[in-house]
Amino acid sequence: MQLDWTTFLLQIVNFLVLVWLLKRFLYRPVLDVIARRREGIEKALNDAREAETRAETLRQDYERKLAEQDSAQAADMARLGDELAAERSRRMAKLDAELAAEHERQLALVEKQTADAGRKAGDAARAAALNFVSRLLGRLSGAELDSRLVDMLIEDLATLPAKQLEALHDAAAAPDASLQLTTARPLSEADQTRLLSALNDALGRSLPMTKQIDPSMQSGLRVGIGPWMLAASLADELVFFRSGARRAC
Amino acid sequence: MRAEHLDPPSTADSADYSPRLRVVERGKVSSVGDGVVWIEGLPSARMDGIVRISDGSEALVFHLAADRIGAILLTTTPALMPGCEARQSGDILTMPTGDGLLGRVIDPLGAPLDGGAAPDCSGRRPIEGNSPPIVARDFVDRPLYTGSKIVDTLIPIGRGQRQLLIGDNGTGKSALALDAVISQRDQNVRCLYVMIGQKRSSVVQTIDTLRTHGALSYTTMVVAEATASTGLRYLAPFSGCAIAEDWMDAGHDALIVYDDLTTHARAYRELSLLLRRPPGREAYPADIFYLHARLLERSTRLSAANGGGSMTALPIAETEQGEIAAYIPTNLISITDGQIHFDSKQFARGVLPAIDITRSVSRIGGKAQHEAIKREAGRMKLDYLQFLELEVFTRFGAKLEASMEARIRRGRLLRDILAQDRLDPHSALDQLAWLIACNENLLDGLDDGALDAALHSLRNGAAGSGLTLDSPRTEWLTAVRGWLSSAADTLAAAGPDAPAELADRS
């Protein structure tokens, strides 16, 4: 076998060219790819670590916020409880005040109703008494009672206070003064005489007397002198038992 | 000299009673005429005492002179003439009181005018009386609903308040008072309507109105019509007040309408001049202020210890040409706790009720309003007053900025909402419904037809909803939206003319 050095050298050159080409167009891109992949892996790992860090931070934030939320919720619950308790006590106080006011109101109304009932009972009793006395004395009234009432007038006339007597004197001293006698029925002559005599003595002068009959007086008499009237009649006395009302209901 | 009166004795007097001669005063009628009688004598007669005359007539002592007294004739007989004898009865004028008067029409002396039997009364009460002392009173803090949208939201009235209704003749004062009475149905308020010097046709119309609306069952009417004697016209408000005062003392809430106190003042002036009292300003007597002050001061709310009742007064005063600075109107304005002013110009423009909000005020304010209505009404009155001022600028055709335009639009909407027919009182629930709808802008942009439909729907909805004024606002708002939605549906079903705005709001 003959060694051709030229060929050998060319083969070597050829081999070297092949090696260069392989390194240039195959090995280096492969290395680049490997490097890029490594970088990618590194980046992914770094991202993962960062994400893990962020997640950890978030977790811690979440747990912190959760804790804060829990404490805030607890505080809110406590405040709500306090507010509820305050509102309840406020409403209870208000209710108590309303109940107390209503109780007071009802007591006042019951008291008023009781007083009204008492007053009405008194009025009714007075009306019944008035009715009873009016009918009884109406039945019993007559000339004898008239005479007794004339006696009463004559007796009391003598004991009238000075001021009243003075006023009667003044009325009797008027130029056109006269006596107006009103009776339930005609008086007897004797009673009329006694009455006129007593009046003349009390008034210090003799005055003319007109007579009038008013059966509504039931019994007794009224004597008018100017702006005054001397009343000694059954009807006038019975007025004392009448209620203050102007008309009966 | 002190004369004896034939007064009923106290219990002690009864125990010490003894029959004796009694010296009593005797008067003589010197002249009679124009519903008054002059009596000579009776030197110890007291004001407001009752004098009995021998013919059977009765008179109320009204004027005391040195040598004679002047009295208002309460009852007369044909036999009354000069020379008749007069005696003091010892009585004072009283009125029958009690629930037996509800549904009745009576005169100022308690006699029936409705053709019925004498009222079955539980008691009697003097027509003149002292007003409750301060310690017996309580704050006015409960609302009295009049049924008027304007009044119940912007000029609220409380139970125990005295609110004057003032305005020219024929501007709707009596209509509002009647609305207020009609609104008290199922409110546990007893009403008393006093008519002073009114035509018989007006009286009959008022009675018919109250009867038609079912309000007569809880109302008493005290009537002294124009043909009644001057004395009865003078006594009418005091008689009514005595009846309402009795209800108040029994722990009830009462509402009394005085229709009207201007006529009453004229009657008092007439009596005073007839009885030769010295005339003062506009020939009114010097105590004309006291006349109405002592009447209206009896309206109040009593404390719980005094039964907790109340008497709300709605006196009516008539002005001439809108002159509220006249003598009687200014007196009444200064006595009362606020006034509702009726404007004849507004009435002529067809703005009903013709209440002039700028001149109307309630000095009780929101204290007597329910919390929910107070919250919703809030600044509404102020906003409305500002709108009325702003609206003037629109007459010049001036270009206004957007915010002003919005306020004017809202003011006009509010004016449309507040429009109300007479004798058509609205419930408190209805008031709250429209207030919420208005405040939530649910009624903005609606034309007249749609607005009427919406308000009608709100009214019907509120009436049968089961909601109360104390229900949460969220519940109310949901319900209001629902009612407006149903109104929109109804309108949409009615035809193509139905406005689309309501449909968009549901």
Side-chain angles (χ1 to χ4, degrees):
Chain A
M1 177 177 162
Q2 193 177 359
L3 183 62
D4 187 353
W5 288 102
T6 306
T7 306
F8 180 72
L9 281 172
L10 286 170
Q11 286 292 347
I12 286 173
V13 169
N14 190 25
F15 177 74
L16 287 172
V17 168
L18 178 67
V19 168
W20 181 83
L21 284 172
L22 282 174
K23 188 181 177 188
R24 178 80 177 83
F25 293 106
L26 182 67
Y27 183 61
R28 195 171 292 169
V30 168
L31 281 180
D32 288 345
V33 166
I34 289 169
R36 277 202 303 274
R37 282 196 63 189
R38 189 171 290 119
E39 277 177 17
I41 289 166
E42 281 297 324
K43 188 172 177 297
L45 280 172
N46 285 337
D47 288 349
R49 282 192 206 97
E50 282 176 15
E52 190 181 13
T53 309
R54 275 202 308 275
E56 182 61 24
T57 310
L58 283 172
R59 190 181 63 78
Q60 287 172 355
D61 279 353
Y62 170 73
E63 284 176 353
R64 183 175 51 78
K65 284 182 179 172
L66 198 62
E68 284 174 2
Q69 196 73 24
D70 286 347
S71 64
Q73 193 177 9
D76 284 347
M77 286 297 287
R79 195 167 54 248
L80 184 66
D82 291 345
E83 283 176 5
L84 278 173
E87 180 68 12
R88 189 180 295 114
S89 61
R90 191 183 65 79
R91 290 197 180 192
M92 285 299 288
K94 188 181 173 190
L95 196 63
D96 285 346
E98 283 175 3
L99 282 171
E102 185 60 25
H103 179 68
E104 193 178 19
R105 182 172 164 268
Q106 291 301 331
L107 275 178
L109 291 177
V110 167
E111 198 176 322
K112 183 181 180 300
Q113 283 164 2
T114 308
D116 284 351
R119 186 177 48 77
K120 280 178 191 166
D123 287 347
R126 194 176 289 122
L130 175 70
N131 188 36
F132 166 75
V133 171
S134 177
R135 288 188 184 193
L136 177 67
L137 295 180
R139 181 73 191 271
L140 296 178
S141 64
E144 190 183 351
L145 184 56
D146 289 345
S147 183
R148 289 194 171 210
L149 286 168
V150 169
D151 291 342
M152 187 181 82
L153 186 146
I154 292 168
E155 280 175 32
D156 291 354
L157 194 60
T159 58
L160 276 181
K163 276 193 175 182
Q164 283 190 342
L165 272 175
E166 190 182 336
L168 292 174
H169 275 271
D170 291 346
D176 56 347
S178 67
L179 300 173
Q180 295 92 42
L181 174 67
T182 308
T183 53
R185 60 188 62 79
L187 287 180
S188 65
E189 283 296 326
D191 285 341
Q192 278 190 53
T193 308
R194 283 191 305 122
L195 176 67
L196 198 56
S197 167
L199 286 169
N200 289 340
D201 290 347
L203 298 173
R205 68 189 63 213
S206 176
L207 293 174
M209 187 161 72
T210 59
K211 298 172 197 168
Q212 194 179 345
I213 301 296
D214 181 4
S216 68
M217 288 169 58
Q218 291 188 311
S219 189
L221 67 159
R222 292 180 193 140
V223 181
I225 311 164
W228 301 106
M229 189 168 63
L230 307 175
S233 75
L234 203 54
D236 289 334
E237 289 304 309
L238 290 175
V239 166
F240 277 78
F241 296 97
R242 208 172 281 161
S243 70
R246 196 172 59 85
R247 289 186 185 83
C249 273
Chain B
M1 152 184 175
R2 180 176 169 75
E4 290 186 65
H5 293 174
L6 300 180
D7 292 329
S10 64
T11 310
D13 290 341
S14 301
D16 299 337
Y17 167 75
S18 65
R20 65 176 190 275
L21 167 66
R22 305 190 186 279
V23 181
V24 294
E25 292 173 1
R26 181 176 75 145
K28 191 170 72 174
V29 174
S30 59
S31 67
V32 185
D34 298 314
V36 298
V37 58
W38 287 100
I39 298 167
E40 292 172 354
L42 303 183
S44 70
R46 62 170 175 173
M47 286 293 287
D48 298 324
I50 289 183
V51 172
R52 292 205 172 90
I53 304 171
S54 55
D55 71 310
S57 303
E58 288 182 337
L60 183 77
V61 178
F62 187 78
H63 182 68
L64 302 175
D67 57 343
R68 58 182 184 166
I69 61 169
I72 303 167
L73 280 167
L74 300 174
T75 57
T76 56
T77 71
L80 178 62
M81 60 181 69
C84 286
E85 186 181 295
R87 291 172 59 189
Q88 290 185 69
S89 67
D91 296 340
I92 53 172
L93 191 55
T94 59
M95 270 297 279
T97 55
D99 286 353
L101 292 167
L102 292 172
R104 302 301 305 270
V105 183
I106 56 174
D107 75 0
L109 301 178
L113 294 175
D114 51 8
D120 179 22
C121 61
S122 58
R124 298 192 72 91
R125 190 183 185 93
I127 67 161
E128 289 274 7
N130 292 332
S131 60
I134 295 293
V135 289
R137 301 180 182 220
D138 205 345
F139 296 107
V140 174
D141 58 5
R142 291 178 301 150
L144 183 124
Y145 297 111
T146 62
S148 164
K149 293 181 190 176
I150 295 178
V151 175
D152 290 346
T153 56
L154 306 184
I155 319 162
I157 297 175
R159 295 187 182 192
Q161 188 177 343
R162 299 153 306 171
Q163 185 79 351
L164 179 67
L165 309 182
I166 184 168
D168 284 0
N169 184 30
T171 48
K173 303 182 297 295
S174 298
L176 181 71
L178 282 172
D179 270 356
V181 171
I182 291 165
S183 287
Q184 303 316 312
R185 190 191 307 156
D186 304 325
Q187 300 292 317
N188 201 19
V189 175
R190 288 159 170 75
C191 298
L192 211 141
Y193 202 103
V194 183
M195 301 191 82
I196 309 156
Q198 307 249 1
K199 298 193 298 283
R200 183 164 295 188
S201 59
S202 303
V203 174
V204 170
Q205 194 178 13
T206 302
I207 294 168
D208 282 346
T209 301
L210 291 175
R211 186 178 286 120
T212 304
H213 288 83
L216 206 55
S217 59
Y218 54 84
T219 304
T220 300
M221 292 192 66
V222 176
V223 177
E225 46 188 28
T227 53
S229 70
T230 317
L232 290 188
R233 279 182 276 139
Y234 156 70
L235 292 172
F238 293 99
S239 302
C241 186
I243 297 168
E245 206 169 37
D246 190 72
W247 284 329
M248 176 175 73
D249 281 352
H252 301 298
D253 290 315
L255 166 68
I256 183 164
V257 177
Y258 300 110
D259 191 1
D260 66 278
L261 289 188
T262 311
T263 309
H264 180 241
R266 289 188 191 123
Y268 187 65
R269 175 172 62 182
E270 195 178 323
L271 275 178
S272 299
L273 293 174
L274 283 168
L275 291 164
R276 314 283 166 80
R277 285 186 174 182
R281 180 178 161 185
E282 292 178 31
Y284 286 105
D287 63 347
I288 188 73
F289 185 93
Y290 171 63
L291 171 79
H292 289 150
R294 76 174 191 262
L295 171 71
L296 292 169
E297 204 56 42
R298 289 160 73 178
S299 296
T300 185
R301 185 188 165 195
L302 296 177
S303 63
N306 288 275
S310 74
M311 193 201 321
T312 309
L314 293 180
I316 294 175
E318 194 173 286
T319 55
E320 290 176 358
Q321 301 296 314
E323 183 55 70
I324 59 171
Y327 190 25
I328 302 302
T330 47
N331 279 0
L332 290 167
I333 286 170
S334 61
I335 292 166
T336 50
D337 306 313
Q339 72 275 352
I340 297 169
H341 183 259
F342 291 78
D343 184 28
S344 54
K345 292 191 183 77
Q346 257 181 257
F347 189 87
R349 284 203 305 271
V351 179
L352 297 175
I355 295 174
D356 181 358
I357 296 176
T358 57
R359 290 180 170 188
S360 301
V361 66
S362 171
R363 296 191 186 102
I364 301 294
K367 291 228 172 3
Q369 264 183 314
H370 188 278
E371 205 56 44
I373 292 179
K374 184 179 172 180
R375 182 186 62 229
E376 297 299 333
R379 286 175 40 89
M380 199 170 270
K381 183 178 181 183
L382 194 61
D383 291 346
Y384 190 68
L385 291 176
Q386 286 173 344
F387 149 72
L388 290 176
E389 284 187 5
L390 283 174
E391 197 187 30
V392 175
F393 294 109
T394 62
R395 294 178 194 165
F396 308 124
K399 179 81 176 141
L400 299 173
E401 60 183 64
S403 64
M404 278 197 179
E405 288 280 7
R407 281 164 73 178
I408 286 173
R409 268 200 309 275
R410 189 160 177 75
R412 284 179 177 155
L413 169 72
L414 189 55
R415 185 161 57 195
D416 289 342
I417 292 171
L418 293 174
Q420 187 177 342
D421 290 333
R422 69 187 295 264
L423 301 175
D424 183 27
H426 289 244
S427 68
L429 295 175
D430 177 31
Q431 312 273 21
L432 185 57
W434 75 254
L435 278 168
I436 289 173
C438 185
N439 286 337
E440 292 295 324
N441 303 323
L442 298 176
L443 302 173
D444 290 2
L446 297 182
D447 62 18
D448 289 348
L451 183 63
D452 286 346
L455 292 174
H456 187 70
S457 176
L458 289 176
R459 189 174 184 177
N460 289 342
S465 64
L467 290 169
T468 66
L469 293 178
D470 295 314
S471 300
R473 191 176 192 274
T474 48
E475 283 183 30
W476 268 101
L477 187 54
T478 308
V480 164
R481 286 185 196 279
W483 298 328
L484 289 175
S485 166
S486 67
D489 293 344
T490 308
L491 271 176
D497 295 334
E501 295 93 331
L502 260 173
D504 298 334
R505 291 170 206 291
S506 57

